Short mmCIF file of all heavy atoms in Angstrom, two decimals:
data_model
loop_
_atom_site.label_atom_id
_atom_site.label_comp_id
_atom_site.label_asym_id
_atom_site.label_seq_id
_atom_site.Cartn_x
_atom_site.Cartn_y
_atom_site.Cartn_z
N MET A 245 -42.17 -39.83 -70.70
CA MET A 245 -42.53 -41.26 -70.69
C MET A 245 -41.71 -42.03 -71.74
O MET A 245 -41.26 -43.12 -71.52
CB MET A 245 -44.03 -41.41 -71.01
CG MET A 245 -44.94 -41.04 -69.82
SD MET A 245 -44.60 -41.94 -68.30
CE MET A 245 -44.33 -40.59 -67.18
N LYS A 246 -41.54 -41.41 -72.89
CA LYS A 246 -40.79 -42.09 -73.95
C LYS A 246 -39.34 -42.32 -73.54
O LYS A 246 -38.73 -43.32 -73.90
CB LYS A 246 -40.83 -41.26 -75.23
CG LYS A 246 -42.05 -41.59 -76.09
CD LYS A 246 -41.94 -40.91 -77.44
CE LYS A 246 -43.13 -41.27 -78.32
NZ LYS A 246 -43.05 -40.60 -79.63
N ARG A 247 -38.82 -41.37 -72.76
CA ARG A 247 -37.41 -41.45 -72.38
C ARG A 247 -37.17 -42.72 -71.55
O ARG A 247 -36.16 -43.39 -71.72
CB ARG A 247 -37.02 -40.20 -71.60
CG ARG A 247 -35.56 -40.18 -71.21
CD ARG A 247 -35.17 -38.87 -70.59
NE ARG A 247 -34.89 -37.84 -71.58
CZ ARG A 247 -34.42 -36.62 -71.29
NH1 ARG A 247 -34.23 -36.29 -70.05
NH2 ARG A 247 -34.17 -35.75 -72.22
N SER A 248 -38.09 -43.02 -70.63
CA SER A 248 -37.91 -44.20 -69.79
C SER A 248 -37.91 -45.47 -70.62
O SER A 248 -37.21 -46.44 -70.32
CB SER A 248 -39.00 -44.26 -68.72
OG SER A 248 -40.27 -44.31 -69.31
N ILE A 249 -38.70 -45.47 -71.68
CA ILE A 249 -38.72 -46.65 -72.56
C ILE A 249 -37.38 -46.80 -73.26
O ILE A 249 -36.83 -47.90 -73.37
CB ILE A 249 -39.87 -46.51 -73.59
CG1 ILE A 249 -41.22 -46.62 -72.88
CG2 ILE A 249 -39.76 -47.60 -74.67
CD1 ILE A 249 -42.40 -46.22 -73.73
N ILE A 250 -36.84 -45.67 -73.70
CA ILE A 250 -35.54 -45.70 -74.37
C ILE A 250 -34.46 -46.21 -73.41
O ILE A 250 -33.63 -47.05 -73.76
CB ILE A 250 -35.18 -44.30 -74.91
CG1 ILE A 250 -36.14 -43.93 -76.04
CG2 ILE A 250 -33.73 -44.25 -75.37
CD1 ILE A 250 -36.07 -42.48 -76.46
N ILE A 251 -34.50 -45.72 -72.17
CA ILE A 251 -33.51 -46.15 -71.17
C ILE A 251 -33.65 -47.65 -70.92
O ILE A 251 -32.67 -48.38 -70.82
CB ILE A 251 -33.69 -45.34 -69.87
CG1 ILE A 251 -33.26 -43.88 -70.10
CG2 ILE A 251 -32.92 -45.97 -68.72
CD1 ILE A 251 -33.66 -42.95 -68.98
N LEU A 252 -34.90 -48.12 -70.85
CA LEU A 252 -35.14 -49.55 -70.64
C LEU A 252 -34.56 -50.37 -71.80
O LEU A 252 -33.91 -51.39 -71.60
CB LEU A 252 -36.66 -49.79 -70.51
CG LEU A 252 -37.05 -51.22 -70.12
CD1 LEU A 252 -36.69 -51.49 -68.67
CD2 LEU A 252 -38.56 -51.41 -70.32
N CYS A 253 -34.80 -49.87 -73.01
CA CYS A 253 -34.27 -50.55 -74.20
C CYS A 253 -32.74 -50.60 -74.15
O CYS A 253 -32.13 -51.62 -74.45
CB CYS A 253 -34.73 -49.83 -75.46
SG CYS A 253 -36.45 -50.14 -75.85
N LEU A 254 -32.14 -49.48 -73.76
CA LEU A 254 -30.68 -49.41 -73.67
C LEU A 254 -30.17 -50.40 -72.63
O LEU A 254 -29.17 -51.08 -72.84
CB LEU A 254 -30.24 -47.99 -73.30
CG LEU A 254 -30.12 -47.03 -74.49
CD1 LEU A 254 -29.86 -45.61 -73.98
CD2 LEU A 254 -28.99 -47.46 -75.41
N ALA A 255 -30.88 -50.49 -71.50
CA ALA A 255 -30.47 -51.40 -70.43
C ALA A 255 -30.53 -52.84 -70.92
O ALA A 255 -29.60 -53.63 -70.69
CB ALA A 255 -31.38 -51.22 -69.21
N VAL A 256 -31.61 -53.19 -71.60
CA VAL A 256 -31.76 -54.56 -72.13
C VAL A 256 -30.67 -54.83 -73.16
O VAL A 256 -30.06 -55.89 -73.18
CB VAL A 256 -33.16 -54.73 -72.76
CG1 VAL A 256 -33.25 -56.05 -73.51
CG2 VAL A 256 -34.23 -54.64 -71.68
N TRP A 257 -30.42 -53.81 -73.98
CA TRP A 257 -29.42 -53.97 -75.04
C TRP A 257 -28.03 -54.21 -74.45
O TRP A 257 -27.29 -55.09 -74.86
CB TRP A 257 -29.41 -52.73 -75.92
CG TRP A 257 -28.34 -52.77 -76.97
CD1 TRP A 257 -28.37 -53.48 -78.14
CD2 TRP A 257 -27.09 -52.11 -76.94
NE1 TRP A 257 -27.21 -53.28 -78.84
CE2 TRP A 257 -26.40 -52.45 -78.13
CE3 TRP A 257 -26.47 -51.26 -76.03
CZ2 TRP A 257 -25.13 -51.96 -78.41
CZ3 TRP A 257 -25.20 -50.78 -76.33
CH2 TRP A 257 -24.56 -51.13 -77.50
N SER A 258 -27.67 -53.39 -73.41
CA SER A 258 -26.34 -53.54 -72.82
C SER A 258 -26.23 -54.87 -72.08
O SER A 258 -25.18 -55.48 -72.06
CB SER A 258 -26.00 -52.37 -71.90
OG SER A 258 -27.13 -51.83 -71.31
N LEU A 259 -27.33 -55.31 -71.49
CA LEU A 259 -27.32 -56.62 -70.83
C LEU A 259 -27.02 -57.71 -71.85
O LEU A 259 -26.24 -58.62 -71.62
CB LEU A 259 -28.68 -56.88 -70.17
CG LEU A 259 -28.77 -56.57 -68.67
CD1 LEU A 259 -30.21 -56.80 -68.20
CD2 LEU A 259 -27.82 -57.44 -67.88
N GLY A 260 -27.68 -57.60 -73.01
CA GLY A 260 -27.46 -58.59 -74.06
C GLY A 260 -26.04 -58.56 -74.55
O GLY A 260 -25.45 -59.60 -74.83
N THR A 261 -25.47 -57.36 -74.64
CA THR A 261 -24.08 -57.23 -75.10
C THR A 261 -23.13 -57.88 -74.10
O THR A 261 -22.21 -58.59 -74.48
CB THR A 261 -23.72 -55.74 -75.25
OG1 THR A 261 -24.72 -55.11 -76.02
CG2 THR A 261 -22.38 -55.59 -75.93
N ILE A 262 -23.38 -57.65 -72.81
CA ILE A 262 -22.52 -58.24 -71.78
C ILE A 262 -22.62 -59.76 -71.83
O ILE A 262 -21.63 -60.47 -71.74
CB ILE A 262 -22.93 -57.70 -70.38
CG1 ILE A 262 -22.58 -56.21 -70.29
CG2 ILE A 262 -22.25 -58.50 -69.27
CD1 ILE A 262 -23.29 -55.49 -69.14
N THR A 263 -23.85 -60.26 -72.02
CA THR A 263 -24.04 -61.71 -72.11
C THR A 263 -23.29 -62.27 -73.30
O THR A 263 -22.64 -63.31 -73.21
CB THR A 263 -25.54 -62.03 -72.22
OG1 THR A 263 -26.23 -61.31 -71.21
CG2 THR A 263 -25.79 -63.52 -72.05
N ALA A 264 -23.37 -61.56 -74.41
CA ALA A 264 -22.69 -62.02 -75.62
C ALA A 264 -21.19 -62.04 -75.40
O ALA A 264 -20.50 -62.95 -75.83
CB ALA A 264 -23.04 -61.11 -76.79
N CYS A 265 -20.67 -61.04 -74.67
CA CYS A 265 -19.24 -60.97 -74.40
C CYS A 265 -18.80 -62.10 -73.49
O CYS A 265 -17.77 -62.70 -73.68
CB CYS A 265 -18.89 -59.62 -73.76
SG CYS A 265 -18.85 -58.28 -74.97
N SER A 266 -19.64 -62.40 -72.48
CA SER A 266 -19.26 -63.46 -71.55
C SER A 266 -19.33 -64.82 -72.23
O SER A 266 -18.67 -65.77 -71.81
CB SER A 266 -20.17 -63.45 -70.32
OG SER A 266 -21.51 -63.63 -70.70
N ASN A 267 -20.11 -64.93 -73.29
CA ASN A 267 -20.17 -66.18 -74.04
C ASN A 267 -19.00 -66.29 -75.01
O ASN A 267 -18.72 -67.36 -75.52
CB ASN A 267 -21.49 -66.27 -74.83
CG ASN A 267 -22.66 -66.60 -73.92
OD1 ASN A 267 -22.47 -67.09 -72.82
ND2 ASN A 267 -23.86 -66.31 -74.38
N GLY A 268 -18.35 -65.17 -75.27
CA GLY A 268 -17.27 -65.14 -76.24
C GLY A 268 -16.15 -66.14 -75.99
O GLY A 268 -15.88 -66.95 -76.86
N PRO A 269 -15.53 -66.11 -74.81
CA PRO A 269 -14.40 -67.01 -74.56
C PRO A 269 -14.73 -68.48 -74.79
O PRO A 269 -13.93 -69.22 -75.33
CB PRO A 269 -14.09 -66.76 -73.08
CG PRO A 269 -14.57 -65.37 -72.83
CD PRO A 269 -15.78 -65.20 -73.72
N LYS A 270 -15.94 -68.89 -74.42
CA LYS A 270 -16.33 -70.29 -74.63
C LYS A 270 -16.34 -70.63 -76.11
O LYS A 270 -15.89 -71.67 -76.52
CB LYS A 270 -17.72 -70.53 -74.03
CG LYS A 270 -17.69 -70.64 -72.51
CD LYS A 270 -19.09 -70.86 -71.98
CE LYS A 270 -19.10 -70.80 -70.45
NZ LYS A 270 -20.47 -70.85 -69.93
N ALA A 271 -16.90 -69.69 -76.89
CA ALA A 271 -16.96 -69.92 -78.33
C ALA A 271 -15.56 -69.97 -78.91
O ALA A 271 -15.27 -70.77 -79.79
CB ALA A 271 -17.77 -68.82 -78.99
N THR A 272 -14.68 -69.12 -78.39
CA THR A 272 -13.31 -69.08 -78.87
C THR A 272 -12.61 -70.41 -78.60
O THR A 272 -11.89 -70.93 -79.43
CB THR A 272 -12.54 -67.94 -78.19
OG1 THR A 272 -13.29 -66.75 -78.31
CG2 THR A 272 -11.18 -67.75 -78.84
N GLU A 273 -12.88 -70.99 -77.42
CA GLU A 273 -12.26 -72.27 -77.08
C GLU A 273 -12.63 -73.33 -78.11
O GLU A 273 -11.82 -74.14 -78.52
CB GLU A 273 -12.72 -72.73 -75.70
CG GLU A 273 -11.90 -72.09 -74.58
CD GLU A 273 -12.41 -72.49 -73.21
OE1 GLU A 273 -12.86 -73.62 -73.07
OE2 GLU A 273 -12.36 -71.64 -72.30
N LYS A 274 -13.89 -73.31 -78.52
CA LYS A 274 -14.36 -74.29 -79.50
C LYS A 274 -13.66 -74.11 -80.83
O LYS A 274 -13.40 -75.07 -81.54
CB LYS A 274 -15.87 -74.13 -79.71
CG LYS A 274 -16.69 -74.94 -78.72
CD LYS A 274 -18.16 -74.90 -79.12
CE LYS A 274 -19.01 -75.72 -78.16
NZ LYS A 274 -20.43 -75.69 -78.57
N HIS A 275 -13.40 -72.84 -81.17
CA HIS A 275 -12.84 -72.57 -82.48
C HIS A 275 -11.31 -72.65 -82.49
O HIS A 275 -10.71 -72.48 -83.53
CB HIS A 275 -13.27 -71.17 -82.94
CG HIS A 275 -14.70 -71.15 -83.38
ND1 HIS A 275 -15.10 -71.69 -84.58
CD2 HIS A 275 -15.80 -70.67 -82.80
CE1 HIS A 275 -16.42 -71.54 -84.69
NE2 HIS A 275 -16.86 -70.92 -83.63
N GLN A 276 -10.72 -72.87 -81.33
CA GLN A 276 -9.26 -72.86 -81.27
C GLN A 276 -8.64 -73.93 -82.16
O GLN A 276 -7.57 -73.74 -82.69
CB GLN A 276 -8.79 -73.07 -79.83
CG GLN A 276 -8.50 -71.73 -79.15
CD GLN A 276 -7.87 -71.91 -77.79
OE1 GLN A 276 -7.76 -73.03 -77.30
NE2 GLN A 276 -7.50 -70.82 -77.17
N LYS A 277 -9.33 -75.05 -82.34
CA LYS A 277 -8.79 -76.10 -83.18
C LYS A 277 -8.71 -75.65 -84.63
O LYS A 277 -7.88 -76.08 -85.38
CB LYS A 277 -9.67 -77.35 -83.06
CG LYS A 277 -9.41 -78.12 -81.79
CD LYS A 277 -10.31 -79.34 -81.71
CE LYS A 277 -10.11 -80.09 -80.40
NZ LYS A 277 -11.05 -81.21 -80.28
N LYS A 278 -9.66 -74.75 -85.01
CA LYS A 278 -9.71 -74.30 -86.39
C LYS A 278 -8.79 -73.12 -86.63
O LYS A 278 -8.50 -72.79 -87.77
CB LYS A 278 -11.14 -73.89 -86.76
CG LYS A 278 -12.03 -75.10 -86.99
CD LYS A 278 -13.42 -74.63 -87.39
CE LYS A 278 -14.35 -75.82 -87.59
NZ LYS A 278 -15.72 -75.36 -87.90
N SER A 279 -8.35 -72.47 -85.55
CA SER A 279 -7.58 -71.25 -85.71
C SER A 279 -6.24 -71.54 -86.36
O SER A 279 -5.60 -72.54 -86.08
CB SER A 279 -7.38 -70.57 -84.37
OG SER A 279 -6.48 -71.32 -83.58
N LYS A 280 -5.85 -70.65 -87.22
CA LYS A 280 -4.57 -70.81 -87.90
C LYS A 280 -3.52 -69.98 -87.19
O LYS A 280 -3.81 -69.13 -86.38
CB LYS A 280 -4.72 -70.39 -89.36
CG LYS A 280 -5.60 -71.35 -90.12
CD LYS A 280 -5.57 -71.03 -91.60
CE LYS A 280 -6.34 -72.09 -92.36
NZ LYS A 280 -6.33 -71.85 -93.80
N TYR A 281 -2.31 -70.20 -87.55
CA TYR A 281 -1.20 -69.49 -86.93
C TYR A 281 -0.70 -68.41 -87.87
O TYR A 281 -0.73 -68.57 -89.09
CB TYR A 281 -0.08 -70.47 -86.61
CG TYR A 281 -0.48 -71.45 -85.54
CD1 TYR A 281 -1.22 -72.58 -85.85
CD2 TYR A 281 -0.13 -71.23 -84.22
CE1 TYR A 281 -1.61 -73.47 -84.88
CE2 TYR A 281 -0.51 -72.12 -83.23
CZ TYR A 281 -1.25 -73.23 -83.57
OH TYR A 281 -1.65 -74.12 -82.60
N THR A 282 -0.28 -67.33 -87.27
CA THR A 282 0.22 -66.23 -88.08
C THR A 282 1.45 -65.61 -87.43
O THR A 282 1.70 -65.83 -86.24
CB THR A 282 -0.87 -65.16 -88.27
OG1 THR A 282 -0.40 -64.18 -89.18
CG2 THR A 282 -1.21 -64.48 -86.95
N CYS A 283 2.17 -64.84 -88.21
CA CYS A 283 3.35 -64.15 -87.70
C CYS A 283 2.94 -62.74 -87.28
O CYS A 283 2.21 -62.07 -88.00
CB CYS A 283 4.42 -64.12 -88.78
SG CYS A 283 5.85 -63.11 -88.32
N THR A 284 3.43 -62.31 -86.14
CA THR A 284 3.07 -60.96 -85.68
C THR A 284 3.65 -59.90 -86.60
O THR A 284 3.12 -58.81 -86.71
CB THR A 284 3.59 -60.74 -84.24
OG1 THR A 284 4.95 -61.14 -84.17
CG2 THR A 284 2.76 -61.54 -83.25
N MET A 285 4.77 -60.21 -87.26
CA MET A 285 5.38 -59.25 -88.17
C MET A 285 4.76 -59.34 -89.56
O MET A 285 4.82 -58.39 -90.33
CB MET A 285 6.90 -59.52 -88.26
CG MET A 285 7.63 -59.36 -86.94
SD MET A 285 7.48 -57.72 -86.25
CE MET A 285 8.59 -56.82 -87.34
N HIS A 286 4.19 -60.47 -89.89
CA HIS A 286 3.57 -60.66 -91.20
C HIS A 286 2.15 -61.21 -91.02
O HIS A 286 1.93 -62.41 -91.23
CB HIS A 286 4.41 -61.62 -92.06
CG HIS A 286 5.84 -61.20 -92.19
ND1 HIS A 286 6.85 -61.71 -91.40
CD2 HIS A 286 6.41 -60.29 -93.03
CE1 HIS A 286 8.00 -61.12 -91.75
NE2 HIS A 286 7.76 -60.26 -92.72
N PRO A 287 1.20 -60.35 -90.64
CA PRO A 287 -0.18 -60.80 -90.38
C PRO A 287 -0.86 -61.37 -91.62
O PRO A 287 -1.87 -62.06 -91.51
CB PRO A 287 -0.90 -59.53 -89.91
CG PRO A 287 0.19 -58.56 -89.56
CD PRO A 287 1.35 -58.91 -90.43
N ASP A 288 -0.34 -61.05 -92.79
CA ASP A 288 -0.96 -61.54 -94.02
C ASP A 288 -0.63 -63.01 -94.25
O ASP A 288 -1.29 -63.69 -95.03
CB ASP A 288 -0.50 -60.70 -95.22
CG ASP A 288 1.02 -60.60 -95.30
OD1 ASP A 288 1.64 -60.29 -94.27
OD2 ASP A 288 1.57 -60.84 -96.39
N LEU A 289 0.40 -63.50 -93.57
CA LEU A 289 0.77 -64.90 -93.70
C LEU A 289 -0.05 -65.73 -92.71
O LEU A 289 -0.34 -65.30 -91.60
CB LEU A 289 2.25 -65.10 -93.40
CG LEU A 289 3.23 -64.49 -94.41
CD1 LEU A 289 4.66 -64.72 -93.94
CD2 LEU A 289 3.04 -65.08 -95.79
N SER A 290 -0.42 -66.93 -93.12
CA SER A 290 -1.13 -67.82 -92.21
C SER A 290 -0.61 -69.24 -92.39
O SER A 290 -0.30 -69.68 -93.50
CB SER A 290 -2.64 -67.76 -92.47
OG SER A 290 -2.93 -68.24 -93.76
N PHE A 291 -0.50 -69.93 -91.26
CA PHE A 291 0.03 -71.28 -91.28
C PHE A 291 -0.94 -72.22 -90.56
O PHE A 291 -1.62 -71.82 -89.63
CB PHE A 291 1.40 -71.34 -90.60
CG PHE A 291 2.41 -70.39 -91.22
CD1 PHE A 291 2.46 -69.06 -90.82
CD2 PHE A 291 3.29 -70.84 -92.19
CE1 PHE A 291 3.37 -68.19 -91.39
CE2 PHE A 291 4.21 -69.97 -92.76
CZ PHE A 291 4.25 -68.64 -92.37
N ASP A 292 -1.02 -73.44 -91.02
CA ASP A 292 -1.93 -74.41 -90.40
C ASP A 292 -1.35 -74.98 -89.11
O ASP A 292 -2.08 -75.39 -88.23
CB ASP A 292 -2.21 -75.55 -91.37
CG ASP A 292 -3.08 -75.08 -92.54
OD1 ASP A 292 -3.93 -74.20 -92.30
OD2 ASP A 292 -2.89 -75.58 -93.65
N LYS A 293 -0.04 -75.01 -89.02
CA LYS A 293 0.59 -75.61 -87.85
C LYS A 293 1.47 -74.59 -87.13
O LYS A 293 1.99 -73.67 -87.77
CB LYS A 293 1.47 -76.81 -88.28
CG LYS A 293 0.65 -77.95 -88.86
CD LYS A 293 1.59 -79.00 -89.43
CE LYS A 293 0.79 -80.12 -90.09
NZ LYS A 293 1.64 -81.13 -90.73
N PRO A 294 1.65 -74.77 -85.83
CA PRO A 294 2.56 -73.88 -85.10
C PRO A 294 3.99 -74.09 -85.54
O PRO A 294 4.35 -75.17 -86.02
CB PRO A 294 2.37 -74.29 -83.64
CG PRO A 294 1.83 -75.68 -83.68
CD PRO A 294 1.05 -75.80 -84.96
N GLY A 295 4.78 -73.04 -85.38
CA GLY A 295 6.17 -73.15 -85.79
C GLY A 295 6.78 -71.77 -85.87
O GLY A 295 6.48 -70.91 -85.06
N VAL A 296 7.62 -71.56 -86.87
CA VAL A 296 8.24 -70.26 -87.05
C VAL A 296 7.90 -69.71 -88.42
O VAL A 296 7.64 -70.46 -89.36
CB VAL A 296 9.78 -70.33 -86.88
CG1 VAL A 296 10.15 -70.63 -85.44
CG2 VAL A 296 10.37 -71.35 -87.82
N CYS A 297 7.92 -68.40 -88.53
CA CYS A 297 7.60 -67.73 -89.78
C CYS A 297 8.65 -68.08 -90.83
O CYS A 297 9.85 -68.10 -90.55
CB CYS A 297 7.54 -66.22 -89.55
SG CYS A 297 7.30 -65.27 -91.05
N SER A 298 8.17 -68.32 -92.06
CA SER A 298 9.10 -68.67 -93.13
C SER A 298 9.87 -67.46 -93.63
O SER A 298 10.86 -67.60 -94.33
CB SER A 298 8.32 -69.33 -94.27
OG SER A 298 7.27 -68.48 -94.70
N LYS A 299 9.39 -66.27 -93.30
CA LYS A 299 10.05 -65.05 -93.78
C LYS A 299 11.07 -64.51 -92.79
O LYS A 299 12.16 -64.12 -93.16
CB LYS A 299 9.01 -63.97 -94.06
CG LYS A 299 8.34 -64.15 -95.42
CD LYS A 299 7.54 -62.90 -95.79
CE LYS A 299 6.92 -63.05 -97.18
NZ LYS A 299 6.11 -61.86 -97.53
N CYS A 300 10.66 -64.46 -91.49
CA CYS A 300 11.55 -63.82 -90.52
C CYS A 300 11.97 -64.78 -89.40
O CYS A 300 12.84 -64.44 -88.60
CB CYS A 300 10.88 -62.59 -89.92
SG CYS A 300 9.41 -62.96 -88.95
N GLY A 301 11.37 -65.96 -89.34
CA GLY A 301 11.78 -66.94 -88.35
C GLY A 301 11.21 -66.70 -86.97
O GLY A 301 11.60 -67.36 -86.01
N MET A 302 10.28 -65.76 -86.87
CA MET A 302 9.67 -65.51 -85.56
C MET A 302 8.66 -66.60 -85.23
O MET A 302 8.08 -67.22 -86.11
CB MET A 302 8.96 -64.14 -85.56
CG MET A 302 9.86 -63.01 -85.12
SD MET A 302 8.93 -61.48 -84.94
CE MET A 302 7.94 -61.86 -83.52
N GLU A 303 8.45 -66.82 -83.92
CA GLU A 303 7.51 -67.84 -83.49
C GLU A 303 6.08 -67.43 -83.88
O GLU A 303 5.69 -66.28 -83.72
CB GLU A 303 7.59 -68.02 -81.97
CG GLU A 303 7.12 -69.39 -81.54
CD GLU A 303 7.48 -69.66 -80.08
OE1 GLU A 303 8.65 -69.43 -79.72
OE2 GLU A 303 6.59 -70.08 -79.34
N LEU A 304 5.33 -68.38 -84.42
CA LEU A 304 3.96 -68.09 -84.87
C LEU A 304 3.03 -68.01 -83.68
O LEU A 304 3.22 -68.68 -82.67
CB LEU A 304 3.48 -69.18 -85.83
CG LEU A 304 4.33 -69.36 -87.09
CD1 LEU A 304 3.76 -70.50 -87.92
CD2 LEU A 304 4.38 -68.09 -87.91
N VAL A 305 2.00 -67.17 -83.83
CA VAL A 305 0.99 -67.03 -82.80
C VAL A 305 -0.35 -67.48 -83.37
O VAL A 305 -0.60 -67.38 -84.57
CB VAL A 305 0.89 -65.58 -82.28
CG1 VAL A 305 2.14 -65.19 -81.52
CG2 VAL A 305 0.63 -64.63 -83.42
N GLU A 306 -1.21 -67.99 -82.47
CA GLU A 306 -2.52 -68.46 -82.93
C GLU A 306 -3.38 -67.27 -83.31
O GLU A 306 -3.41 -66.25 -82.62
CB GLU A 306 -3.21 -69.24 -81.81
CG GLU A 306 -2.79 -70.69 -81.81
CD GLU A 306 -3.59 -71.46 -80.79
OE1 GLU A 306 -4.75 -71.78 -81.09
OE2 GLU A 306 -3.06 -71.73 -79.70
N ARG A 307 -4.12 -67.43 -84.38
CA ARG A 307 -5.03 -66.37 -84.80
C ARG A 307 -6.46 -66.91 -84.81
O ARG A 307 -6.70 -68.00 -85.33
CB ARG A 307 -4.66 -65.87 -86.20
CG ARG A 307 -5.60 -64.78 -86.68
CD ARG A 307 -5.06 -64.09 -87.90
NE ARG A 307 -4.90 -65.03 -89.02
CZ ARG A 307 -4.46 -64.67 -90.21
NH1 ARG A 307 -4.07 -63.43 -90.41
NH2 ARG A 307 -4.34 -65.53 -91.18
N ASP A 308 -7.35 -66.11 -84.24
CA ASP A 308 -8.76 -66.50 -84.21
C ASP A 308 -9.39 -66.14 -85.54
O ASP A 308 -9.43 -65.00 -85.93
CB ASP A 308 -9.46 -65.76 -83.07
CG ASP A 308 -10.84 -66.33 -82.82
OD1 ASP A 308 -11.11 -67.43 -83.35
OD2 ASP A 308 -11.60 -65.70 -82.09
N THR A 309 -9.89 -67.15 -86.25
CA THR A 309 -10.44 -66.92 -87.59
C THR A 309 -11.96 -67.07 -87.61
O THR A 309 -12.53 -67.53 -88.58
CB THR A 309 -9.80 -67.88 -88.60
OG1 THR A 309 -9.96 -69.20 -88.12
CG2 THR A 309 -8.34 -67.58 -88.79
N THR A 310 -12.60 -66.69 -86.48
CA THR A 310 -14.05 -66.84 -86.42
C THR A 310 -14.76 -65.82 -87.30
O THR A 310 -15.88 -66.02 -87.70
CB THR A 310 -14.55 -66.70 -84.98
OG1 THR A 310 -13.93 -65.57 -84.39
CG2 THR A 310 -14.23 -67.94 -84.17
N GLU A 311 -14.10 -64.71 -87.58
CA GLU A 311 -14.75 -63.67 -88.39
C GLU A 311 -14.27 -63.73 -89.83
O GLU A 311 -13.11 -63.82 -90.09
CB GLU A 311 -14.42 -62.30 -87.79
CG GLU A 311 -15.01 -62.21 -86.41
CD GLU A 311 -15.97 -61.04 -86.27
OE1 GLU A 311 -16.77 -60.81 -87.21
OE2 GLU A 311 -15.95 -60.38 -85.24
ZN1 LIG B 58 7.34 -63.12 -90.14
#
């Protein structure tokens, strides 16, 4: 009997995880304005505006800074 409860809990938990994941992209869209730009070769560098890396001249990519 306990096992079925555990399975039910797992099912609810995975449903919640899937829901959270499907909500992810929307949240990311909102945060895109705040995201900074970084160089793929120099992840420690961050820039407020798009452009090229000051070290290697590579094109900057957007970085999600929600975490
Ligand atoms: Zn670079």
Side-chain angles (χ1 to χ4, degrees):
M245 284 304 125
K246 272 189 178 179
R247 182 174 278 186
S248 59
I249 291 168
I250 292 168
I251 291 168
L252 187 71
C253 285
L254 275 172
V256 171
W257 176 78
S258 30
L259 263 176
T261 310
I262 292 163
T263 311
C265 283
S266 59
N267 285 341
K270 284 179 187 173
T272 309
E273 276 177 35
K274 272 189 179 181
H275 285 286
Q276 264 187 354
K277 282 179 183 176
K278 284 182 181 176
S279 71
K280 292 188 174 181
Y281 293 82
T282 186
C283 173
T284 48
M285 298 300 286
H286 306 97
D288 53 311
L289 293 177
S290 64
F291 304 84
D292 290 326
K293 295 173 183 176
V296 291
C297 175
S298 55
K299 279 192 177 178
C300 65
M302 270 187 69
E303 204 168 311
L304 301 178
V305 292
E306 275 186 78
R307 179 167 61 179
D308 191 13
T309 54
T310 46
E311 296 238 41

